Amino acid sequence: MTAAPAPVAPPRPGVPRAVLILLALAAGVVVLLGMQAFAGLIVPVFLALNLIIAVHPVGARSPGGACR
């Protein structure tokens, strides 16, 4: 009696890994180019956000509680 052949795994559905990597790299390039194009808007907004985060604890602990 012969042994039954080993079952062959069916091909996985979906996109191949190489295609996913290329798409991720392309998306990263698009994001970086977009950030470079809108740097005049992104930089001041990011600076303002950092300043607000840095100063908020000082205002919250003020005696008058002006920032609450």
Side-chain angles (χ1 to χ4, degrees):
M1 189 174 221
T2 60
V8 177
R12 294 186 319 171
V15 182
R17 185 175 302 235
V19 174
L20 289 177
I21 292 172
L22 287 174
L23 284 174
L25 289 174
V29 168
V30 169
V31 167
L32 288 176
L33 290 175
M35 288 176 66
Q36 185 178 9
F38 291 105
L41 178 67
I42 292 173
V43 171
V45 169
F46 188 69
L47 176 63
L49 180 65
N50 280 318
L51 289 174
I52 289 171
I53 291 171
V55 174
H56 180 70
V58 175
R61 292 184 180 148
S62 66
C67 294
R68 291 182 186 197

